[in-house]
Amino acid sequence: MKYWRETLAVAQRILIELLRRRRSLIFWSIFPVSVLLLNGFILAERAKLSIDQAFNIAAPLTLVGAALFFSCLGGTVATIVSEREQQTLKRLFISPLSGTSYFLGIFLAHSCIGIGQAVLIYTISSLFFNASFNGSLILGCLIILLSIAAYVGLGFILGTQLARRTEDVNALIAAFGVPLLMLGGAFIPTFLFPKHLQQIAKFNPIYHMNTAFLKVSANGSEMAEISENFWFLVGFTGLMVLGGWLSYRRMLVVERRL
């Protein structure tokens, strides 16, 4: 119960701070909606699909490939850098709060943000463009949670090892994120890629996130049909969470010395 209470307290503090900075909350809502509209209308035109078919494809790609990437990975990096600049970690060392609770609290906070974006994207898609979620809701939620965990874990790695100032956040996201998003099919579905790019994309974890969630959401696929993508995502998520935890522990050792 101690860890649970501390985790909730950390997540609550991050979410309250986000609510106070309303501009960030508004931008995190505008971004997925704008990408959803662009993806949907471009697909309808270029792939010769009906509007509802286009948005059935655009909604999962926008959520997992773009919205969660920037909110969960970029948000985690920004949170860690901000906490270090504000000396919050120094205060952590003299408080009864455990490092495990702090790690889980950041994960929980960004999970709430990701779930909110999922509700926003699918609400708009269904109300205005007749899109729907056709597969197993449990399997879809599992893919979303695995994607969030992978992004948050990677965010801890980048935020603790490579980012030292707030200015570094945008550079990191631009350098690592945008090419991976493009190659993963977040903005252009991979079935429109040239053959050689489709082969390269299979080494991109975002491709497997997008493909698994797209098949479940748009096609109603079951576990057997997405097993290759799903287990790749499970392995990648495990590595990112482990790497994020080790990077976080290493950062605490460094911060104690300063």
Side-chain angles (χ1 to χ4, degrees):
M1 290 300 295
K2 172 182 180 292
Y3 286 111
W4 177 244
R5 287 195 301 270
E6 290 177 348
T7 298
L8 287 178
V10 172
Q12 184 180 23
R13 181 178 62 83
I14 293 172
L15 292 173
I16 289 174
E17 188 173 333
L18 178 62
L19 289 171
R20 288 174 180 168
R21 300 197 311 264
R22 290 187 179 88
R23 283 184 298 179
S24 297
L25 195 62
I26 292 171
F27 291 151
W28 274 354
S29 300
I30 291 175
F31 172 73
V33 172
S34 60
V35 174
L36 171 68
L37 295 176
L38 288 171
N39 276 346
F41 289 122
I42 290 172
L43 275 172
E45 176 65 26
R46 303 304 298 173
K48 306 301 181 184
L49 300 173
S50 65
I51 288 295
D52 58 337
Q53 290 175 322
F55 277 86
N56 269 336
I57 296 173
L61 295 181
T62 300
L63 174 61
V64 176
L68 295 185
F69 180 91
F70 284 100
S71 64
C72 297
L73 190 152
T76 299
V77 175
T79 298
I80 293 171
V81 172
S82 175
E83 299 279 53
R84 297 180 78 175
E85 288 185 335
Q86 296 172 11
Q87 302 296 310
T88 302
L89 291 175
K90 299 292 186 183
R91 295 193 291 273
L92 172 65
F93 299 143
I94 60 175
S95 73
L97 178 67
S98 70
T100 302
S101 298
Y102 183 79
F103 183 88
L104 293 175
I106 292 180
F107 170 76
L108 180 59
H110 287 90
S111 296
C112 292
I113 295 169
I115 292 169
Q117 289 180 319
V119 171
L120 176 65
I121 287 173
Y122 274 92
T123 298
I124 291 174
S125 298
S126 61
L127 287 180
F128 296 102
F129 304 104
N130 296 319
S132 59
F133 189 94
N134 299 313
S136 166
L137 188 60
I138 294 176
L139 184 56
C141 290
L142 182 57
I143 294 171
I144 290 175
L145 290 176
L146 285 171
S147 301
I148 291 172
Y151 285 142
V152 171
L154 181 56
F156 267 96
I157 295 173
L158 297 179
T160 57
Q161 303 303 312
L162 299 179
R164 293 293 180 268
R165 298 171 299 175
T166 304
E167 294 81 6
D168 297 336
V169 176
N170 291 334
L172 277 172
I173 299 303
F176 290 96
V178 176
L180 288 175
L181 289 176
M182 293 291 293
L183 192 59
F187 303 121
I188 303 173
T190 53
F191 62 78
L192 297 177
F193 284 8
K195 291 295 183 183
H196 65 282
L197 279 184
Q198 291 183 15
Q199 295 302 316
I200 295 173
K202 292 181 180 179
F203 295 96
N204 182 356
I206 297 177
Y207 164 82
H208 293 279
M209 296 178 192
N210 280 335
T211 301
F213 193 57
L214 174 62
K215 287 181 178 179
V216 172
S217 175
N219 302 333
S221 299
E222 299 296 334
M223 174 64 82
E225 299 170 87
I226 63 166
S227 58
E228 179 182 351
N229 306 115
F230 181 83
W231 292 115
F232 185 100
L233 176 56
V234 169
F236 177 75
T237 300
L239 287 176
M240 291 302 99
V241 171
L242 177 61
W245 173 250
L246 294 176
S247 298
Y248 170 67
R249 300 299 299 178
R250 182 175 181 274
M251 179 189 69
L252 292 184
V253 172
V254 173
E255 289 291 320
R256 283 192 178 99
R257 294 173 182 169
L258 297 177

PDB file of all heavy atoms in Angstrom, residues 49-78:
ATOM      1  N   LEU A  49     -10.111   5.251 -50.710  1.00  0.00           N
ATOM      2  CA  LEU A  49     -10.948   4.615 -49.699  1.00  0.00           C
ATOM      3  C   LEU A  49     -12.112   5.527 -49.344  1.00  0.00           C
ATOM      4  O   LEU A  49     -12.043   6.741 -49.534  1.00  0.00           O
ATOM      5  CB  LEU A  49     -10.130   4.332 -48.430  1.00  0.00           C
ATOM      6  CG  LEU A  49      -8.917   3.414 -48.573  1.00  0.00           C
ATOM      7  CD1 LEU A  49      -8.134   3.384 -47.263  1.00  0.00           C
ATOM      8  CD2 LEU A  49      -9.338   2.002 -48.977  1.00  0.00           C
ATOM      9  N   SER A  50     -13.163   4.942 -48.805  1.00  0.00           N
ATOM     10  CA  SER A  50     -14.251   5.766 -48.281  1.00  0.00           C
ATOM     11  C   SER A  50     -13.768   6.462 -47.006  1.00  0.00           C
ATOM     12  O   SER A  50     -12.774   6.056 -46.397  1.00  0.00           O
ATOM     13  CB  SER A  50     -15.472   4.903 -47.990  1.00  0.00           C
ATOM     14  OG  SER A  50     -15.184   3.978 -46.954  1.00  0.00           O
ATOM     15  N   ILE A  51     -14.493   7.498 -46.573  1.00  0.00           N
ATOM     16  CA  ILE A  51     -14.089   8.255 -45.394  1.00  0.00           C
ATOM     17  C   ILE A  51     -14.043   7.366 -44.151  1.00  0.00           C
ATOM     18  O   ILE A  51     -13.089   7.425 -43.363  1.00  0.00           O
ATOM     19  CB  ILE A  51     -15.033   9.448 -45.157  1.00  0.00           C
ATOM     20  CG1 ILE A  51     -14.801  10.529 -46.223  1.00  0.00           C
ATOM     21  CG2 ILE A  51     -14.818  10.043 -43.767  1.00  0.00           C
ATOM     22  CD1 ILE A  51     -13.427  11.175 -46.156  1.00  0.00           C
ATOM     23  N   ASP A  52     -15.038   6.523 -43.954  1.00  0.00           N
ATOM     24  CA  ASP A  52     -15.037   5.681 -42.756  1.00  0.00           C
ATOM     25  C   ASP A  52     -13.908   4.657 -42.790  1.00  0.00           C
ATOM     26  O   ASP A  52     -13.268   4.376 -41.766  1.00  0.00           O
ATOM     27  CB  ASP A  52     -16.396   5.003 -42.559  1.00  0.00           C
ATOM     28  CG  ASP A  52     -16.800   4.147 -43.741  1.00  0.00           C
ATOM     29  OD1 ASP A  52     -16.302   4.388 -44.861  1.00  0.00           O
ATOM     30  OD2 ASP A  52     -17.618   3.226 -43.548  1.00  0.00           O
ATOM     31  N   GLN A  53     -13.606   4.091 -43.979  1.00  0.00           N
ATOM     32  CA  GLN A  53     -12.485   3.163 -44.097  1.00  0.00           C
ATOM     33  C   GLN A  53     -11.160   3.868 -43.829  1.00  0.00           C
ATOM     34  O   GLN A  53     -10.281   3.327 -43.139  1.00  0.00           O
ATOM     35  CB  GLN A  53     -12.452   2.531 -45.497  1.00  0.00           C
ATOM     36  CG  GLN A  53     -13.571   1.548 -45.772  1.00  0.00           C
ATOM     37  CD  GLN A  53     -13.548   1.045 -47.199  1.00  0.00           C
ATOM     38  OE1 GLN A  53     -13.252   1.795 -48.136  1.00  0.00           O
ATOM     39  NE2 GLN A  53     -13.863  -0.220 -47.393  1.00  0.00           N
ATOM     40  N   ALA A  54     -11.024   5.070 -44.357  1.00  0.00           N
ATOM     41  CA  ALA A  54      -9.783   5.833 -44.171  1.00  0.00           C
ATOM     42  C   ALA A  54      -9.551   6.150 -42.705  1.00  0.00           C
ATOM     43  O   ALA A  54      -8.427   6.018 -42.193  1.00  0.00           O
ATOM     44  CB  ALA A  54      -9.831   7.116 -44.995  1.00  0.00           C
ATOM     45  N   PHE A  55     -10.589   6.553 -41.998  1.00  0.00           N
ATOM     46  CA  PHE A  55     -10.414   6.907 -40.584  1.00  0.00           C
ATOM     47  C   PHE A  55     -10.325   5.665 -39.703  1.00  0.00           C
ATOM     48  O   PHE A  55      -9.768   5.747 -38.596  1.00  0.00           O
ATOM     49  CB  PHE A  55     -11.524   7.852 -40.132  1.00  0.00           C
ATOM     50  CG  PHE A  55     -11.238   9.279 -40.482  1.00  0.00           C
ATOM     51  CD1 PHE A  55     -11.586   9.792 -41.723  1.00  0.00           C
ATOM     52  CD2 PHE A  55     -10.574  10.108 -39.587  1.00  0.00           C
ATOM     53  CE1 PHE A  55     -11.295  11.104 -42.061  1.00  0.00           C
ATOM     54  CE2 PHE A  55     -10.276  11.418 -39.909  1.00  0.00           C
ATOM     55  CZ  PHE A  55     -10.633  11.922 -41.154  1.00  0.00           C
ATOM     56  N   ASN A  56     -10.832   4.528 -40.143  1.00  0.00           N
ATOM     57  CA  ASN A  56     -10.582   3.275 -39.433  1.00  0.00           C
ATOM     58  C   ASN A  56      -9.103   2.947 -39.410  1.00  0.00           C
ATOM     59  O   ASN A  56      -8.590   2.370 -38.444  1.00  0.00           O
ATOM     60  CB  ASN A  56     -11.340   2.125 -40.098  1.00  0.00           C
ATOM     61  CG  ASN A  56     -12.717   1.917 -39.504  1.00  0.00           C
ATOM     62  OD1 ASN A  56     -12.968   2.289 -38.356  1.00  0.00           O
ATOM     63  ND2 ASN A  56     -13.607   1.336 -40.276  1.00  0.00           N
ATOM     64  N   ILE A  57      -8.393   3.304 -40.484  1.00  0.00           N
ATOM     65  CA  ILE A  57      -6.947   3.090 -40.567  1.00  0.00           C
ATOM     66  C   ILE A  57      -6.196   4.219 -39.880  1.00  0.00           C
ATOM     67  O   ILE A  57      -5.218   3.987 -39.157  1.00  0.00           O
ATOM     68  CB  ILE A  57      -6.506   2.969 -42.037  1.00  0.00           C
ATOM     69  CG1 ILE A  57      -7.133   1.729 -42.674  1.00  0.00           C
ATOM     70  CG2 ILE A  57      -4.985   2.921 -42.154  1.00  0.00           C
ATOM     71  CD1 ILE A  57      -6.888   1.614 -44.166  1.00  0.00           C
ATOM     72  N   ALA A  58      -6.647   5.445 -40.071  1.00  0.00           N
ATOM     73  CA  ALA A  58      -5.926   6.610 -39.547  1.00  0.00           C
ATOM     74  C   ALA A  58      -5.939   6.668 -38.025  1.00  0.00           C
ATOM     75  O   ALA A  58      -4.956   7.085 -37.400  1.00  0.00           O
ATOM     76  CB  ALA A  58      -6.527   7.892 -40.122  1.00  0.00           C
ATOM     77  N   ALA A  59      -7.043   6.263 -37.392  1.00  0.00           N
ATOM     78  CA  ALA A  59      -7.166   6.389 -35.936  1.00  0.00           C
ATOM     79  C   ALA A  59      -6.102   5.581 -35.183  1.00  0.00           C
ATOM     80  O   ALA A  59      -5.398   6.136 -34.326  1.00  0.00           O
ATOM     81  CB  ALA A  59      -8.570   5.994 -35.489  1.00  0.00           C
ATOM     82  N   PRO A  60      -5.933   4.281 -35.446  1.00  0.00           N
ATOM     83  CA  PRO A  60      -4.897   3.537 -34.705  1.00  0.00           C
ATOM     84  C   PRO A  60      -3.484   4.006 -35.013  1.00  0.00           C
ATOM     85  O   PRO A  60      -2.634   4.044 -34.121  1.00  0.00           O
ATOM     86  CB  PRO A  60      -5.111   2.085 -35.147  1.00  0.00           C
ATOM     87  CG  PRO A  60      -5.887   2.161 -36.413  1.00  0.00           C
ATOM     88  CD  PRO A  60      -6.729   3.388 -36.307  1.00  0.00           C
ATOM     89  N   LEU A  61      -3.215   4.375 -36.278  1.00  0.00           N
ATOM     90  CA  LEU A  61      -1.882   4.858 -36.631  1.00  0.00           C
ATOM     91  C   LEU A  61      -1.568   6.169 -35.922  1.00  0.00           C
ATOM     92  O   LEU A  61      -0.459   6.383 -35.435  1.00  0.00           O
ATOM     93  CB  LEU A  61      -1.772   5.045 -38.151  1.00  0.00           C
ATOM     94  CG  LEU A  61      -1.886   3.785 -39.022  1.00  0.00           C
ATOM     95  CD1 LEU A  61      -1.730   4.152 -40.494  1.00  0.00           C
ATOM     96  CD2 LEU A  61      -0.845   2.755 -38.618  1.00  0.00           C
ATOM     97  N   THR A  62      -2.548   7.043 -35.851  1.00  0.00           N
ATOM     98  CA  THR A  62      -2.349   8.334 -35.201  1.00  0.00           C
ATOM     99  C   THR A  62      -2.122   8.169 -33.704  1.00  0.00           C
ATOM    100  O   THR A  62      -1.257   8.820 -33.118  1.00  0.00           O
ATOM    101  CB  THR A  62      -3.566   9.245 -35.438  1.00  0.00           C
ATOM    102  OG1 THR A  62      -3.742   9.449 -36.844  1.00  0.00           O
ATOM    103  CG2 THR A  62      -3.393  10.587 -34.748  1.00  0.00           C
ATOM    104  N   LEU A  63      -2.876   7.269 -33.090  1.00  0.00           N
ATOM    105  CA  LEU A  63      -2.771   7.100 -31.641  1.00  0.00           C
ATOM    106  C   LEU A  63      -1.426   6.503 -31.243  1.00  0.00           C
ATOM    107  O   LEU A  63      -0.653   7.115 -30.497  1.00  0.00           O
ATOM    108  CB  LEU A  63      -3.910   6.214 -31.134  1.00  0.00           C
ATOM    109  CG  LEU A  63      -3.826   5.843 -29.650  1.00  0.00           C
ATOM    110  CD1 LEU A  63      -3.871   7.082 -28.773  1.00  0.00           C
ATOM    111  CD2 LEU A  63      -4.932   4.869 -29.272  1.00  0.00           C
ATOM    112  N   VAL A  64      -1.141   5.298 -31.718  1.00  0.00           N
ATOM    113  CA  VAL A  64       0.058   4.582 -31.269  1.00  0.00           C
ATOM    114  C   VAL A  64       1.322   5.161 -31.880  1.00  0.00           C
ATOM    115  O   VAL A  64       2.340   5.306 -31.203  1.00  0.00           O
ATOM    116  CB  VAL A  64      -0.073   3.080 -31.613  1.00  0.00           C
ATOM    117  CG1 VAL A  64       1.198   2.340 -31.247  1.00  0.00           C
ATOM    118  CG2 VAL A  64      -1.248   2.470 -30.876  1.00  0.00           C
ATOM    119  N   GLY A  65       1.248   5.514 -33.160  1.00  0.00           N
ATOM    120  CA  GLY A  65       2.462   5.967 -33.831  1.00  0.00           C
ATOM    121  C   GLY A  65       2.838   7.396 -33.561  1.00  0.00           C
ATOM    122  O   GLY A  65       4.030   7.737 -33.533  1.00  0.00           O
ATOM    123  N   ALA A  66       1.873   8.272 -33.352  1.00  0.00           N
ATOM    124  CA  ALA A  66       2.197   9.695 -33.218  1.00  0.00           C
ATOM    125  C   ALA A  66       1.849  10.252 -31.834  1.00  0.00           C
ATOM    126  O   ALA A  66       2.708  10.777 -31.129  1.00  0.00           O
ATOM    127  CB  ALA A  66       1.470  10.490 -34.303  1.00  0.00           C
ATOM    128  N   ALA A  67       0.591  10.132 -31.421  1.00  0.00           N
ATOM    129  CA  ALA A  67       0.149  10.768 -30.174  1.00  0.00           C
ATOM    130  C   ALA A  67       0.897  10.226 -28.968  1.00  0.00           C
ATOM    131  O   ALA A  67       1.442  10.995 -28.156  1.00  0.00           O
ATOM    132  CB  ALA A  67      -1.358  10.577 -30.003  1.00  0.00           C
ATOM    133  N   LEU A  68       0.938   8.903 -28.810  1.00  0.00           N
ATOM    134  CA  LEU A  68       1.609   8.325 -27.648  1.00  0.00           C
ATOM    135  C   LEU A  68       3.109   8.577 -27.689  1.00  0.00           C
ATOM    136  O   LEU A  68       3.745   8.726 -26.633  1.00  0.00           O
ATOM    137  CB  LEU A  68       1.342   6.817 -27.577  1.00  0.00           C
ATOM    138  CG  LEU A  68      -0.107   6.390 -27.346  1.00  0.00           C
ATOM    139  CD1 LEU A  68      -0.190   4.869 -27.184  1.00  0.00           C
ATOM    140  CD2 LEU A  68      -0.695   7.079 -26.125  1.00  0.00           C
ATOM    141  N   PHE A  69       3.679   8.624 -28.873  1.00  0.00           N
ATOM    142  CA  PHE A  69       5.117   8.879 -28.982  1.00  0.00           C
ATOM    143  C   PHE A  69       5.473  10.218 -28.355  1.00  0.00           C
ATOM    144  O   PHE A  69       6.370  10.312 -27.515  1.00  0.00           O
ATOM    145  CB  PHE A  69       5.543   8.850 -30.455  1.00  0.00           C
ATOM    146  CG  PHE A  69       7.012   9.116 -30.657  1.00  0.00           C
ATOM    147  CD1 PHE A  69       7.923   8.076 -30.687  1.00  0.00           C
ATOM    148  CD2 PHE A  69       7.485  10.412 -30.807  1.00  0.00           C
ATOM    149  CE1 PHE A  69       9.279   8.323 -30.856  1.00  0.00           C
ATOM    150  CE2 PHE A  69       8.827  10.670 -30.982  1.00  0.00           C
ATOM    151  CZ  PHE A  69       9.726   9.619 -31.012  1.00  0.00           C
ATOM    152  N   PHE A  70       4.777  11.266 -28.756  1.00  0.00           N
ATOM    153  CA  PHE A  70       5.139  12.596 -28.271  1.00  0.00           C
ATOM    154  C   PHE A  70       4.714  12.826 -26.827  1.00  0.00           C
ATOM    155  O   PHE A  70       5.425  13.480 -26.063  1.00  0.00           O
ATOM    156  CB  PHE A  70       4.546  13.664 -29.182  1.00  0.00           C
ATOM    157  CG  PHE A  70       5.279  13.807 -30.483  1.00  0.00           C
ATOM    158  CD1 PHE A  70       4.798  13.217 -31.641  1.00  0.00           C
ATOM    159  CD2 PHE A  70       6.474  14.513 -30.548  1.00  0.00           C
ATOM    160  CE1 PHE A  70       5.485  13.329 -32.836  1.00  0.00           C
ATOM    161  CE2 PHE A  70       7.172  14.631 -31.747  1.00  0.00           C
ATOM    162  CZ  PHE A  70       6.680  14.044 -32.893  1.00  0.00           C
ATOM    163  N   SER A  71       3.561  12.301 -26.429  1.00  0.00           N
ATOM    164  CA  SER A  71       3.108  12.544 -25.057  1.00  0.00           C
ATOM    165  C   SER A  71       3.850  11.674 -24.054  1.00  0.00           C
ATOM    166  O   SER A  71       4.218  12.143 -22.969  1.00  0.00           O
ATOM    167  CB  SER A  71       1.605  12.320 -24.953  1.00  0.00           C
ATOM    168  OG  SER A  71       1.274  10.978 -25.226  1.00  0.00           O
ATOM    169  N   CYS A  72       4.081  10.403 -24.387  1.00  0.00           N
ATOM    170  CA  CYS A  72       4.684   9.479 -23.421  1.00  0.00           C
ATOM    171  C   CYS A  72       6.212   9.488 -23.481  1.00  0.00           C
ATOM    172  O   CYS A  72       6.868   9.507 -22.437  1.00  0.00           O
ATOM    173  CB  CYS A  72       4.156   8.067 -23.650  1.00  0.00           C
ATOM    174  SG  CYS A  72       2.375   7.922 -23.370  1.00  0.00           S
ATOM    175  N   LEU A  73       6.782   9.468 -24.672  1.00  0.00           N
ATOM    176  CA  LEU A  73       8.239   9.527 -24.754  1.00  0.00           C
ATOM    177  C   LEU A  73       8.726  10.962 -24.547  1.00  0.00           C
ATOM    178  O   LEU A  73       9.538  11.237 -23.662  1.00  0.00           O
ATOM    179  CB  LEU A  73       8.715   8.981 -26.098  1.00  0.00           C
ATOM    180  CG  LEU A  73      10.229   8.749 -26.232  1.00  0.00           C
ATOM    181  CD1 LEU A  73      10.504   7.640 -27.230  1.00  0.00           C
ATOM    182  CD2 LEU A  73      10.986  10.002 -26.668  1.00  0.00           C
ATOM    183  N   GLY A  74       8.217  11.882 -25.360  1.00  0.00           N
ATOM    184  CA  GLY A  74       8.636  13.278 -25.217  1.00  0.00           C
ATOM    185  C   GLY A  74       8.261  13.848 -23.863  1.00  0.00           C
ATOM    186  O   GLY A  74       9.034  14.594 -23.244  1.00  0.00           O
ATOM    187  N   GLY A  75       7.079  13.483 -23.368  1.00  0.00           N
ATOM    188  CA  GLY A  75       6.647  13.975 -22.062  1.00  0.00           C
ATOM    189  C   GLY A  75       7.507  13.447 -20.940  1.00  0.00           C
ATOM    190  O   GLY A  75       7.813  14.164 -19.979  1.00  0.00           O
ATOM    191  N   THR A  76       7.912  12.170 -21.016  1.00  0.00           N
ATOM    192  CA  THR A  76       8.775  11.591 -19.986  1.00  0.00           C
ATOM    193  C   THR A  76      10.138  12.277 -19.969  1.00  0.00           C
ATOM    194  O   THR A  76      10.659  12.622 -18.899  1.00  0.00           O
ATOM    195  CB  THR A  76       8.951  10.084 -20.223  1.00  0.00           C
ATOM    196  OG1 THR A  76       7.679   9.442 -20.145  1.00  0.00           O
ATOM    197  CG2 THR A  76       9.878   9.476 -19.190  1.00  0.00           C
ATOM    198  N   VAL A  77      10.720  12.472 -21.151  1.00  0.00           N
ATOM    199  CA  VAL A  77      12.013  13.165 -21.223  1.00  0.00           C
ATOM    200  C   VAL A  77      11.902  14.567 -20.634  1.00  0.00           C
ATOM    201  O   VAL A  77      12.737  14.998 -19.833  1.00  0.00           O
ATOM    202  CB  VAL A  77      12.525  13.232 -22.684  1.00  0.00           C
ATOM    203  CG1 VAL A  77      13.800  14.061 -22.769  1.00  0.00           C
ATOM    204  CG2 VAL A  77      12.767  11.839 -23.229  1.00  0.00           C
ATOM    205  N   ALA A  78      10.847  15.293 -21.023  1.00  0.00           N
ATOM    206  CA  ALA A  78      10.661  16.660 -20.521  1.00  0.00           C
ATOM    207  C   ALA A  78      10.467  16.675 -19.010  1.00  0.00           C
ATOM    208  O   ALA A  78      10.988  17.554 -18.313  1.00  0.00           O
ATOM    209  CB  ALA A  78       9.466  17.301 -21.220  1.00  0.00           C
TER     210      ALA A  78
END
